[in-house]
Amino acid sequence: MNVHVEPGGARGGAAGVIKLAILAVGGQGGGVVTSWIVALAEANGYYVQSTSVPGVAQRTGATIYYVEMVPEGEATPILSLMPAAGDVDIVLAAELMEAGRAIQRGFVSAQTTLIASSHRAYAVAEKAAPGTGILDGAPILEAAEAASLRFLSADLERVAVANGSVISASLFGALAGSGALPFAKEAFEATIRASGKGVGPSLAAFAAGFEAVTASAPTPAMGEAGATTPAEAPEVTGPAALRSEWAALCARADELPSAARTMARRGLEKVVDYQDLLYGAEYLDRVEIFAALDRASGRTDGALTEAAAKAIANAMAYDDVIRVADLKVRASRDRRVRREVGVGVGALLNVTEYMHPRAEEICAVMPAGIGTYVLGHRWAYGIVERLFSNGRRVRTDRLRGFLPLYGLAALRPMRRRLLRHRAEVAHMEAWLATAQRVAASDHDLAVEILRCRRLVKGYSDTHARGLSKFDRVLSALPLLEGRADAAAWLSRLRAAALVDEAGEALDGALKTVATLDAPT
Amino acid sequence: MAERSFAKEVQQLKIGAGEEFRGEGILAITKALLQCGVGYVGGYQGAPISHLMDVLADAEEIMSDLGVHLEASASEAAAGATLAASVHYPIRGAVAWKSTVGTNVASDALANLASGGVLGGALIIVGEDYGEGSSIMQERSHAFAMKSQIWLLDPRPNLESIVKAVEDGFELSEATNTPVMLEVRIRSCHVHGRFKAKDNKRPTMTVAEALENPQRDTNRIVLPPASFGHEQEKIKVRWPKALEFIKERKLNEHFGPDEGKVGIVCQGGMYNGVMRALQRLGLADLYGASAVPIYCLNVTYPLIREEIVDFCRGKDAVLVVEEGQPEHIEQAIGDILYKAGGTAKLEGKGILPMAGEYTGAVMLAGLTDFLRAYQPELLPAQERSPNDPEERVELPDLTGKVPVRPAGFCTGCPERPIFAGMKLMEKELGEHHVAADIGCHLFSILPPFNIGATTMGYGLGPASASAFNVKAKKRPIAVMGDGGFWHNGLTSGIGNAVFNQQDGVILVVDNYYSAATGGQDILSSRADNRSRSTRHPIEEAVKGLGVTWVRRIDRTYDVGKVRDTLTEALTTEETGPKVIVASSECMLNRQRREKPLVAKAIKAGKRTVKPRFGVDEDVCTGDHACIRLSGCPSLSVKTLDDPLRDDPVAAIDSSCVGCGNCGEVAEAAVLCPSFYQADVIHNPTPFETKVASWRRAVIGWLQRRRDRRRLVFAR
């Protein structure tokens, strides 16, 4: 907790004025909260002034609303039209990073009660990164705690939605719960009732927001805190024979270095789900080679095995049209969509898939011989290309759309004989062989080589681009091998590859690598 | 139909003498106009004056009951010219717009108006879009007032003062035969406050009465030799009258003690900021009692020489608090003091920053520095000699840890797919010079699109590409919105391009409204408007001007079509301007219109389809190419509970309006098959329900059949 410092000496002239700033993202309803606060204060004997800066900033940009209030007197008070750094009593942030912005702008000081929704609305820059661009919420929470007199935080977005309302209501509830305004809870509720619009859900969200900040005194963790903890073992159903085989594979996976077991179990599940149990055995064969190398290295962290378990699973479960078709026609997927969309009783759901496989993807699921022929002959390829030059919109709630995908998914047992599989296996084996070779001399570098699998993702052009980045990153190996910091460099290259779509950062990084060993 | 309705609030415009008005600044200004017996009102929308125009539109009935005419002007130039009705007739008129951009556009009309002068009171209300949240270049309106000799009012930012300024403005205008400009800053337009109302007044002469009894006075027309006479009259007659009026009516205010070692001269609009800084220093109370003398300029042009000399007399130093640059007022005061042999030290810019908004922190620092230099004994002990200035709390540095969040296209915006299509075109034909324009479409210059090189003014997109009318391997692309098109783009853009045979592409973004300013109707709007004529197609206007290559895209969400049409326009053999009109309704307005109807229909048991989109999280691989071609607020990312995945996957939240952009982009750009459209059919027909249940039975049987034969993992 900070030392309570009075800004600029005496607050003299403006003593008794409550200054409240609301920081929101355009479209979040900051204006609604503001008008409620004004109505609340006026109804309870206060003189209120509020201002805002609307305009284009309200189109999804960061916006600030500002309210000052003082008990009603004989004369008209002279109030400020904008929040001043170091002189705001209450800050309401409708999103976590907006709380960060309030701190950055100096609105949060030792006199400030900061109330923030802990949820995130990601900015475009965070979402658009080819890898993970999401900024960490921890520094904001830390700064909020340090900078403010009092910091109250809860996922007010979630509690609002859970009550069929929007964040303005739960934010208003959190304000009431904070006790920072000299008005009773009932006065807040009366304000919502008087506004006369969506009163029921608003009151429910208000109560939930009130609860959220009063019940949990310490700062709750961010919404996604649970994301990294691996879930429990899945429930497995299916023929008994298959289930006992599965159990045997699981037992094999559990023989791996302990640090890699969870990952290997998930990987095993992924490849078996992708193809079959035999595929699972092949997976473990590949991972076990790295486990042996891991043991031989004398390391106990199991990092090599874990990296292998992850990368090999992702490499073996490559995305092809069979996989997509299989995922789209599953009963579990149907249930998920219904849950996400929220189909009420008596309502129906039509689902249209937006698909656009290129001719290459179609050739890829032809038997290797035919596929190679088509790719090598213009006339044949031309026919496929013409057939698939337009996107396909497939209604999977109808048989006419469902059956072709269901049929395509049935090609699964044949996958091993298809062109794409051959290419994928060859690519994977070459890469794994490199990692194995390097593991003998540079354990850490081998781990990094395996981790480069992260770069291969997507479909069509995206996939081709990912593959090219993967190849370019690994092309630096000859320059790096033998260097003490080789692993760190490869890791840096991989990070650079995820900065932008075209790979400009990667090119720059590769140029740097090229100069590393240049004679000086 | 505007984005925000003031239908409820405008009822307050009817209140009478003695009643208390509570509401926003813009509403107060409207009420003040009615209390002053205004005869006609015009203007053009744009923040912060948009809401004023919306209020006026919603109050049209109240105004016409009073005999007040409301003109939704086509541009600020048109609005400015409207004041011509006050030249020969004793009718009070008021116009409003966003400044300084609107004043730029209107300056031709204003110069002519000011030259000939007015008989009826003419009030120009400019909403100064300066400082935080501003969407325009940072300039001042002050220079316009000086160059045309229009009196400039800058009232203290509370409703009482603003309302009084409207009244004073009309009277000053009539007393001096000069138009008056009332400057209101963005925050005072939206300030919630209160004032004691008066009765509304009918105009002493209506516009209709004037029309039926035409009058003219050639001396008021700007034509030689009258125009030479006007210049002399401005200086010899109107100026002294104005000084007289301002002095006599005490329009400028004096606060605090009569005498003092130091003093502050501030613009009316800066008064509350000055007071807050003094309050924080313990030198003023909440109700305006100040330990430092303040001379508050509610009229910032012209300045009253005697008042300034009197105020500065006997003082060691005077601080001028004047926001923005150049420092016109400070220069003028310097001139006045020097010529009067004044001895007070003049401070202003220097102690206060020359450029930028005078925020609370800036004001506090400036005033503290000023007092420390000239009268330190006024400062609280801690400010005068802090024990340990380093002891202040060190705040954690969040630089780079908080994302920038500029404004962008709304969820479901029909302009997003246009720029997605343009990006896809550029993947094939390479990058192009794109001349952008004012409007929501200007968000294309920001990530994720990064399209657009310049913006020269509302409707000037095509004109700003006119230098590129040369033979080259690429053609220029100019973007213009429907708002800009009707504002002046039709002539400066299309007409200019036809006349000069400009071999480029002009893309007109037609979203049925002047959307960026708040969704006001314009000529090509498709809405039924009770009092205006709409539904005038842009492509007809374009063809009427002689453009032969015109393409219309009726659904901008068809990303492939946008890409192909742009490609065609850029590669066709045809010379001369290629005009593409891309039309789809502004989603913000559409949702506002449709949402209640849909909710009502569902409740009433009518068959209703509600679309939205989703992403299959196990199909998405987390490359986010879709986001780089979209930037939709509802298309976000989420981290899966799967250790095999490093990167978050795309996810669509419940704010999705089902516009289809993400699916269309995924299809046109051949991205991935993760997107699906989920249409929920509320209140389906019995037949539909039956067929659906059959389908589900068959599909369910097939799914169970497959699941029985393999391992199914459930988490």
Side-chain angles (χ1 to χ4, degrees), chain A residues 16-40:
Chain A
V17 180
I18 301 173
K19 300 154 198 152
L20 185 152
I22 301 162
L23 282 89
V25 180
Q28 273 193 317
V32 175
V33 190
T34 309
S35 63
W36 277 343
I37 293 171
V38 169
L40 168 71

Side-chain angles (χ1 to χ4, degrees), chain B residues 367-526:
Chain B
L367 258 61
T368 307
D369 288 349
F370 173 70
L371 292 173
R372 187 178 289 130
Y374 295 100
Q375 199 176 6
E377 63 272 22
L378 278 182
L379 288 175
Q382 200 189 330
E383 275 304 328
R384 220 166 33 215
S385 53
N387 290 337
D388 182 4
E390 301 307 309
E391 214 181 318
R392 295 200 169 182
V393 181
E394 202 51 50
L395 284 184
D397 183 19
L398 293 178
T399 311
K401 292 173 183 160
V402 175
V404 289
R405 209 191 293 274
F409 296 117
C410 304
T411 299
C413 176
E415 307 189 8
R416 177 175 289 112
I418 297 176
F419 294 101
M422 200 181 282
K423 272 198 111 169
L424 294 180
M425 175 281 293
E426 288 198 328
K427 279 192 178 167
E428 287 164 28
L429 298 183
E431 277 189 44
H432 279 67
H433 178 87
V434 180
D437 203 321
I438 309 290
C440 293
H441 44 88
L442 190 55
F443 295 141
S444 68
I445 61 165
L446 300 170
F449 295 112
N450 306 307
I451 287 176
T454 50
T455 168
M456 286 290 112
Y458 200 27
L460 291 176
S464 65
S466 51
F468 299 103
N469 184 17
V470 289
K471 277 257 167 291
K473 291 194 187 84
K474 283 180 182 173
R475 285 174 173 153
I477 301 172
V479 183
M480 163 165 71
D482 46 357
F485 178 87
W486 295 114
H487 183 265
N488 85 57
L490 179 65
T491 50
S492 71
I494 308 290
N496 184 62
V498 171
F499 188 61
N500 287 296
Q501 278 303 290
Q502 195 174 307
D503 190 25
V505 177
I506 297 172
L507 176 70
V508 183
V509 179
D510 168 23
N511 55 25
Y512 302 12
Y513 305 93
S514 173
T517 58
Q520 292 78 12
D521 283 341
I522 45 176
L523 272 93
S524 50
S525 291
R526 321 277 168 112

Side-chain angles (χ1 to χ4, degrees), chain B residues 83-90 109-120 149 173-174 176-179 215-235 237-238 241:
Chain B
L83 292 174
S86 297
V87 170
H88 298 297
Y89 306 101
L110 292 185
N112 281 288
L113 181 76
S115 185
V118 294
L119 185 61
Q149 194 171 311
S173 176
E174 282 158 0
T176 60
N177 303 107
T178 303
Q215 308 223 346
R216 66 192 284 271
D217 174 1
T218 44
N219 284 328
R220 301 266 68 91
I221 303 171
V222 185
L223 202 70
S227 46
F228 298 109
H230 295 158
E231 192 190 1
Q232 298 298 334
E233 185 192 322
K234 274 181 176 180
I235 297 303
V237 183
R238 300 190 214 161
K241 277 188 184 170

Side-chain angles (χ1 to χ4, degrees), chain A residues 10 50 59 68 72 78-79 98 129 232 269 310 328 333 336 348 352 356 406 454 457 459 501, chain B residues 192 194 272 276 280 286 405 408 515 616 619 624 628 646-647 667 673 677 679 681 702 706 715:
Chain A
S50 74
R59 311 273 191 257
E68 289 201 357
E72 197 94 48
I78 294 154
L79 303 172
E98 293 313 310
E232 304 293 304
E269 182 188 326
K310 180 171 176 173
K328 293 266 184 192
R333 190 264 181 163
R336 195 184 63 237
L348 299 179
T352 311
H356 193 175
Y406 189 79
R454 177 182 182 181
K457 52 185 172 180
Y459 304 78
E501 180 173 303
Chain B
H192 170 95
R194 46 178 96 162
N272 285 30
R276 174 50 52 84
R280 290 177 76 183
L286 197 52
R405 209 191 293 274
D616 277 313
V619 178
H624 316 142
R628 292 192 290 278
D646 288 303
D647 297 318
E667 191 179 81
Q677 179 180 345
D679 294 328
I681 323 282
L702 288 169
R706 184 167 279 169
R715 285 190 176 273

Side-chain angles (χ1 to χ4, degrees), chain A residues 8-10 13 17 19 25 38 42 47-50 53-54 56 59-62 64 68 70 72 75-82 84-85 87 95 97-98 100-101 104-105 121-123 127-132 135 143 147 227 229 231-232 234-239 246 263 266 269-270 310 314 319 326 328-331 333-334 336 338 340-341 346-354 356 358 391 393 397-398 402 406 409-410 412 454 457-460 462 465 501, chain B residues 3 22 47 132-133 135 157 186-188 190-192 194 271-272 275-276 279-280 284-288 357-360 382-383 393 395-396 398-410 427 443 448 515-516 588 612-613 616-619 621-624 627-628 632-633 635-637 640-644 646-648 663-664 667 670-681 684 688 692 695-696 698-699 702-703 705-706 708-715:
Chain A
V17 180
K19 300 154 198 152
V25 180
V38 169
E42 286 194 336
Y47 182 97
V48 195
Q49 175 181 286
S50 74
V53 181
V56 285
R59 311 273 191 257
T60 77
I64 297 183
E68 289 201 357
V70 62
E72 197 94 48
T76 306
I78 294 154
L79 303 172
S80 171
L81 282 83
M82 59 176 117
D87 194 26
E95 195 258 5
M97 286 297 167
E98 293 313 310
R101 206 179 309 285
Q104 262 187 325
R105 299 192 53 173
Y122 301 119
K127 300 192 286 187
T132 307
L135 291 168
T229 52
E232 304 293 304
E235 192 191 315
V236 187
T237 52
W246 165 251
M263 191 67 84
R266 286 300 283 256
E269 182 188 326
K270 183 165 184 167
K310 180 171 176 173
N314 287 328
D319 296 291
D326 187 16
K328 293 266 184 192
V329 297
R330 289 182 181 199
R333 190 264 181 163
D334 192 44
R336 195 184 63 237
R338 284 177 176 276
E340 276 176 16
V341 175
L348 299 179
L349 178 71
N350 295 350
V351 178
T352 311
E353 318 290 344
Y354 280 62
H356 193 175
R358 296 179 308 173
R393 302 219 179 141
D397 59 298
R398 282 189 199 166
F402 180 85
Y406 189 79
R412 198 163 68 133
R454 177 182 182 181
K457 52 185 172 180
Y459 304 78
S460 309
T462 313
R465 197 171 48 240
E501 180 173 303
Chain B
E3 196 173 302
R22 287 191 187 187
E132 182 179 346
S135 56
I186 192 154
R187 286 188 174 81
S188 34
H190 300 295
V191 69
H192 170 95
R194 46 178 96 162
Y271 173 76
N272 285 30
M275 283 307 286
R276 174 50 52 84
Q279 287 165 353
R280 290 177 76 183
D285 77 1
L286 197 52
Y287 304 99
E357 194 175 15
Y358 283 0
T359 61
Q382 200 189 330
E383 275 304 328
V393 181
L395 284 184
L398 293 178
T399 311
K401 292 173 183 160
V402 175
V404 289
R405 209 191 293 274
F409 296 117
C410 304
K427 279 192 178 167
F443 295 141
L588 214 55
R612 63 164 279 188
F613 277 72
D616 277 313
E617 57 190 36
D618 39 12
V619 178
T621 59
D623 171 69
H624 316 142
I627 291 169
R628 292 192 290 278
C632 179
L635 176 58
S636 190
V637 291
L640 290 181
D641 180 17
D642 182 353
L644 295 171
D646 288 303
D647 297 318
E664 300 257 4
E667 191 179 81
V670 199
L671 291 182
C672 81
S674 312
F675 288 94
Y676 63 82
Q677 179 180 345
D679 294 328
V680 178
I681 323 282
E688 220 175 357
R695 280 182 191 144
R696 279 181 68 73
V698 178
I699 287 174
L702 288 169
Q703 285 169 334
R705 179 173 175 273
R706 184 167 279 169
R708 270 199 307 275
R709 296 171 183 204
R710 69 173 179 194
L711 290 178
V712 176
F713 302 95
R715 285 190 176 273

Side-chain angles (χ1 to χ4, degrees), chain B residues 42-376:
Chain B
Y44 194 83
Q45 60 272 0
I49 229 70
S50 279
H51 287 178
L52 179 60
M53 295 310 297
D54 298 341
V55 165
L56 291 172
D58 286 334
E60 202 169 355
E61 218 163 296
I62 298 171
M63 293 205 288
S64 66
D65 284 350
L66 283 168
V68 183
H69 170 66
L70 170 66
E71 186 81 1
S73 311
S75 71
E76 296 85 351
T82 309
L83 292 174
S86 297
V87 170
H88 298 297
Y89 306 101
I91 308 177
R92 289 184 167 183
V95 294
W97 54 69
K98 172 195 191 81
S99 200
T100 52
V101 284
T103 317
N104 289 338
V105 173
S107 58
D108 197 2
L110 292 185
N112 281 288
L113 181 76
S115 185
V118 294
L119 185 61
L123 195 64
I124 303 143
I125 303 161
V126 293
E128 201 82 339
D129 191 16
Y130 181 86
E132 182 179 346
S134 172
S135 56
I136 56 166
M137 74 302 274
Q138 299 294 278
E139 289 190 355
R140 302 180 62 183
S141 302
H142 199 102
F144 289 93
M146 294 198 302
K147 83 167 182 63
S148 297
Q149 194 171 311
I150 294 172
W151 315 133
L152 182 60
L153 309 186
D154 186 354
R156 289 194 284 131
N158 63 73
L159 300 195
E160 220 143 316
S161 297
I162 294 170
V163 167
K164 180 172 175 293
V166 172
E167 293 164 357
D168 292 340
F170 278 123
E171 288 182 39
L172 172 63
S173 176
E174 282 158 0
T176 60
N177 303 107
T178 303
V180 170
M181 195 179 270
L182 172 65
E183 177 183 348
V184 273
R185 292 179 171 74
I186 192 154
R187 286 188 174 81
S188 34
C189 283
H190 300 295
V191 69
H192 170 95
R194 46 178 96 162
F195 70 93
K196 280 269 174 294
K198 293 179 185 160
D199 287 330
N200 292 339
K201 264 200 285 198
R202 303 185 69 83
T204 44
M205 177 189 274
T206 64
V207 186
E209 284 160 3
L211 192 59
E212 286 158 6
N213 304 286
Q215 308 223 346
R216 66 192 284 271
D217 174 1
T218 44
N219 284 328
R220 301 266 68 91
I221 303 171
V222 185
L223 202 70
S227 46
F228 298 109
H230 295 158
E231 192 190 1
Q232 298 298 334
E233 185 192 322
K234 274 181 176 180
I235 297 303
K236 292 179 182 151
V237 183
R238 300 190 214 161
W239 186 292
K241 277 188 184 170
L243 299 184
E244 192 55 39
F245 185 94
I246 297 163
K247 261 191 298 188
E248 199 168 283
R249 300 289 289 267
K250 295 192 167 53
L251 296 190
N252 296 322
E253 295 168 288
H254 193 287
F255 300 100
D258 290 335
E259 306 291 329
K261 267 176 84 177
V262 298
I264 296 170
V265 179
C266 69
Q267 291 166 300
M270 292 291 104
Y271 173 76
N272 285 30
V274 169
M275 283 307 286
R276 174 50 52 84
L278 291 176
Q279 287 165 353
R280 290 177 76 183
L281 290 169
L283 297 177
D285 77 1
L286 197 52
Y287 304 99
S290 166
V292 181
I294 298 172
Y295 176 51
C296 178
L297 297 170
N298 293 315
V299 185
T300 47
Y301 179 84
L303 296 177
I304 313 299
R305 188 172 295 264
E306 302 89 278
E307 287 185 1
I308 287 171
V309 172
D310 282 351
F311 181 76
C312 297
R313 185 171 298 129
K315 292 193 172 61
D316 292 350
V318 170
L319 177 73
V320 179
V321 181
E322 176 186 13
E323 194 177 50
Q325 52 84 32
E327 71 286 37
H328 299 298
I329 299 173
E330 188 182 334
Q331 287 177 14
I333 292 177
D335 174 83
I336 289 169
L337 288 182
Y338 185 77
K339 286 177 180 163
T343 52
K345 178 90 165 73
L346 184 63
E347 289 283 6
K349 303 290 185 184
I351 275 190
L352 286 160
M354 174 63 96
E357 194 175 15
Y358 283 0
T359 61
V362 167
M363 203 73 97
L364 181 64
L367 258 61
T368 307
D369 288 349
F370 173 70
L371 292 173
R372 187 178 289 130
Y374 295 100
Q375 199 176 6

Side-chain angles (χ1 to χ4, degrees), chain A residues 132-149:
Chain A
T132 307
I134 299 174
L135 291 168
D136 186 10
I140 310 296
L141 294 170
E142 211 174 287
E145 200 63 69
S148 65
L149 172 68

